Structure formats: structure tokens, C-alpha cells
Amino acid sequence: MNKIAILGSTGSIGTQTLDVVASDPGRYEIVGLAAGGNTELLIEQAKRFRPAQVCLATKEAAEQVRPFVPPGTRVLYGEEGLVEIAGGSGADMVVTGIVGSRGLNATLAAIDAGAAIALANKETLVTAGHLVMERAAAKGVPILPVDSEHSAIFQCLNGEDRASVQRIVLTASGGAFRDKRREELADVTVEQALSHPNWSMGAKITIDSATMANKGLEVIEAHWLFGLPYERIDVLIHPESIVHSFVEFVDNSIVAQLGMPDMRVPIQYALTYPERRRTPAARLDLAKAGSLHFREMDFERYPCLRMAYESGRTGGTAPTVFNAANEVAVARFLRGEIPFLSIERIVEAVLERHTAVENPGLGEIAEADEWARKAAEAAKG
């Protein structure tokens, strides 16, 4: 059986990963689960999958969980516990489903332990792509994308000469406000922003889809995963979310990956690669789907995507600052402190104040991240 550890087990990616595991009994052994503060769900997961170790974000949450997990299950907490789950659980594969930059150290620990990485935490590559990819290559560790867009590109490139790639195109649903003009966004509510038309995701990534910051993070992630310059990574709005992304080759042929918008498909492909197995996801019926639509990206309408491209091209600590400032701005919007359009204004203000450090080490990345968070918290909404 494949030994799996899941970072972010109570989130959207984590729960869907466990759906995939449960649908194929006898193939997987869950050896570690790490969650934030959802103690009730983690207890349920621990009782069902009986991992050797679980981890919570805080000591208090860990103490709440401890009496209810199966005998012999170790209960850890904090950054140290997260790193232990990733690197010390004996996992063959670590699914990184944590949202935000907290997944970096745990991902590096998993790589050092020789575990394959099923990567759903795009911020890991955004903040430290040069370090992560270099270490994975040195250790011979595969990094298998879980995001539907990157999984699609990965599948389209199977058996292809990378030198024959002309460009890759990531598709974007457009989020909750794709049909609204900018002037209609001034007074949108948190509830409205969380109503994604196609996907079931966590709050932060759903807001990022509405601002297109999420697609910007995916562009930077694609740069590292596939080794392409930003000039050969494009984005199209595709409201149906059926064409998950595509590759255009030098002969102008296009290869695309299609399917229903269900994250269990790319999750399972990462877990079973290169094998394909049946999934609990629904089949795509193109006749029922009818027409598929595409439209060009408007960078004035979605300035967060523009800033992501600019940060990626600048390199160094610029993507770290973009990500950290965005995380804080989104959190402030979700708390009701700032209006929706202030998210992008705060991110731009923080980026304008930052002088990027080239080829940063982990310490410099951490410093840039901390500085950006403080600056974003202090910025006027």
C-alpha cells in the first residue's frame, strides 16, 4: 500500500483526497494527518483512517483532540509537528493541501525525507520555487501537480519533447464576479465573493479566484513546474471550467485536458501517476455540456494578475511579497475590515515599497514575508 500523509486534511483538498483514498480501499495507508483548528473533523478522520500521527495548529487544539484519537496515534502541534508529519511519518507521498506560505518548510522536509510531493500548495513554489525545485532535483523527488490547471498541463505534456512547446495556457473561470464591471465591485459582500460558480473551495482561494490573484499564483507556479518563461504562459477566461488548461506546440497543434470541475480527478492522478484508475467523479458528457466559451484576459479588470506577472518577472523576493500581502489583504476583507477592491490596492502599495532581493535564501524569504505581512496589515483599505 502507498503510505500517504496529508497536510491540510480538513480543508477542501484534504477532504477530497480522503474521498479518493476511501474510494479505492486497500491501495493506500494514511500515516499522517495535519489540520489547523477543525478538531471535530480531524477526530473523525483519525478514527476512520487511523494514522500513526496527527497534527494541529496549536497546543490547545492538540489537547482537545488527544483523548479522542485511536490508541497509539501521536498528537503533535505547531510548525514542528507539521514538519514531523511531512518528513518523519515514513510517507511515500505527502499531499500538501495547506493554504498559504506555511507549507514551505514542511514541503522541504518531505523532500529531504525522499517523499514524493503531490503539490496543491502553490504558495510553496511562489515564495521559494528556485529552492524547492533545486532540492527536489537533487533528491530525485517528483513533484506532481494537484491544481487542476497544472495537472492538465502535466498530462498534456506526457511523452512530448518540452522543446516543442510553444506556450501553455491556463484557463480561469473568472470567479464570482466574472460578469460584473469594475464599478460594480465597490460594495460587494464577503458572501457574494464566496459564491464560486463552478468549484467548491476554501474561503481564501475563492476570494483569490474573484480577484484573479489565484491565477497569478498559478502562473508563477507553472513557471517553476514546467520551466517556461512568463512570455510563454498565458491565461484565458473559460466560464465552464471544462477545459482545465492546454498546451500549444510549435506546429500550432493544441492538446487540452477536459473533464468535469472536480478536484478528485487531479488529486487521484497525482496519487496514482503514471497509472489511471476509476474515480468517484462524474463523467463529462460533451453533448450535454453544449458550447464552450473563451475570452481574452483583461489585465485592467484584474490587476492582481498583472501584478503577479510583474512579480514573477522581477523574481527574487517579489513573488514572496505579492503572496504575503495578498494573504493579509484577503484575510482583512474576510474579517470585514476593508472593501473588496482594497485587496488589490493594498497588494500594489506593498509591492511598490519593496526592493526585491535576488536569489534569496530561506532567511531572506522569511524576512520579506514578515515585512510584507506587517506592511499589508498597516496599509489603509
Side-chain angles (χ1 to χ4, degrees):
M1 289 195 294
N2 294 332
K3 296 181 178 180
I4 307 292
I6 303 174
L7 310 182
S9 69
T10 59
S12 176
I13 293 295
T15 54
Q16 292 179 89
T17 300
L18 291 173
D19 281 347
V20 170
V21 168
S23 74
D24 200 353
R27 184 178 178 89
Y28 307 101
E29 177 187 356
I30 300 297
V31 296
L33 297 174
N38 192 338
T39 56
E40 185 175 337
L41 181 53
L42 184 67
I43 290 168
E44 289 180 21
Q45 292 175 343
K47 288 179 177 179
R48 182 176 184 185
F49 295 97
R50 307 185 72 82
Q53 301 181 116
V54 298
C55 176
L56 281 300
T58 65
K59 183 178 181 180
E60 293 72 22
E63 292 304 322
Q64 290 178 32
V65 163
R66 198 180 304 277
F68 302 103
V69 298
T73 297
R74 293 178 64 206
V75 180
L76 312 171
Y77 65 89
E79 177 76 9
E80 185 176 333
L82 189 64
V83 168
E84 173 64 20
I85 293 285
S89 62
D92 302 312
M93 172 173 281
V94 176
V95 179
T96 60
I98 292 176
V99 175
S101 57
R102 292 186 305 115
L104 175 57
N105 288 333
T107 302
L108 291 173
I111 291 171
D112 287 341
I117 306 298
L119 185 70
N121 173 251
K122 59 181 66 67
E123 293 87 353
T124 290
L125 292 187
V126 170
T127 57
H130 61 300
L131 298 178
V132 173
M133 298 306 290
E134 181 180 289
R135 192 172 300 190
K139 295 286 185 178
V141 167
I143 296 184
L144 301 166
V146 167
D147 276 345
S148 62
E149 297 84 355
H150 302 93
S151 177
I153 299 298
F154 182 71
Q155 293 177 60
C156 292
L157 290 174
N158 274 347
E160 298 287 352
D161 181 357
R162 297 294 177 93
S164 68
V165 175
Q166 186 156 275
R167 63 171 182 151
I168 63 175
V169 179
L170 307 179
T171 55
S173 70
F177 305 133
R178 65 191 177 200
D179 297 319
K180 288 184 178 293
R181 300 184 304 276
R182 280 190 61 78
E183 53 266 30
E184 298 179 86
L185 300 178
D187 299 318
V188 297
T189 66
V190 171
E191 184 179 17
Q192 289 171 325
L194 290 175
S195 299
H196 196 285
N198 300 346
W199 297 92
S200 174
M201 305 180 294
K204 195 266 183 182
I205 192 173
T206 304
I207 301 301
D208 281 351
S209 293
T211 65
M212 210 63 74
N214 183 58
K215 203 57 52 179
L217 297 174
E218 289 176 0
V219 165
I220 298 171
E221 182 183 8
H223 164 74
W224 290 112
L225 281 172
F226 306 115
L228 290 173
Y230 290 98
E231 291 71 24
R232 290 163 61 194
I233 305 172
D234 291 334
V235 178
L236 280 179
I237 291 182
H238 170 47
E240 293 83 5
S241 295
I242 285 175
V243 177
H244 296 306
S245 283
F246 59 87
V247 177
E248 182 181 305
F249 294 93
V250 292
D251 62 355
N252 296 329
S253 296
I254 289 177
V255 176
Q257 190 264 332
L258 286 70
M260 295 296 288
D262 189 324
M263 282 303 300
R264 292 174 296 181
V265 176
I267 289 169
Q268 178 167 292
Y269 190 68
L271 295 184
T272 63
Y273 176 79
E275 182 183 359
R276 291 187 185 271
R277 296 173 68 86
R278 293 187 179 276
T279 74
R283 293 177 63 231
L284 169 63
D285 186 329
L286 283 172
K288 288 184 178 178
S291 301
L292 301 179
H293 302 87
F294 302 89
R295 58 181 188 255
E296 289 187 1
M297 182 54 62
D298 183 346
F299 287 91
E300 291 186 9
R301 169 68 175 76
Y302 294 107
C304 281
L305 181 59
R306 169 184 56 78
M307 288 185 276
Y309 269 101
E310 292 170 354
S311 298
R313 291 188 177 106
T314 300
T317 51
T320 301
V321 168
F322 170 79
N323 175 69
N326 180 65
E327 284 187 22
V328 170
V330 170
R332 290 181 64 185
F333 170 68
L334 288 170
R335 293 195 299 263
E337 297 176 7
I338 60 171
F340 179 76
L341 288 177
S342 285
I343 295 173
E344 62 198 39
R345 289 194 285 264
I346 288 171
V347 173
E348 188 148 38
V350 174
L351 281 169
E352 287 175 352
R353 292 177 53 195
H354 179 62
T355 301
V357 176
E358 293 184 16
N359 196 32
L362 285 174
E364 291 166 313
I365 289 169
E367 289 175 6
D369 183 274
E370 182 180 5
W371 173 85
R373 290 175 190 280
K374 290 179 179 178
E377 283 287 5
K380 291 183 179 180

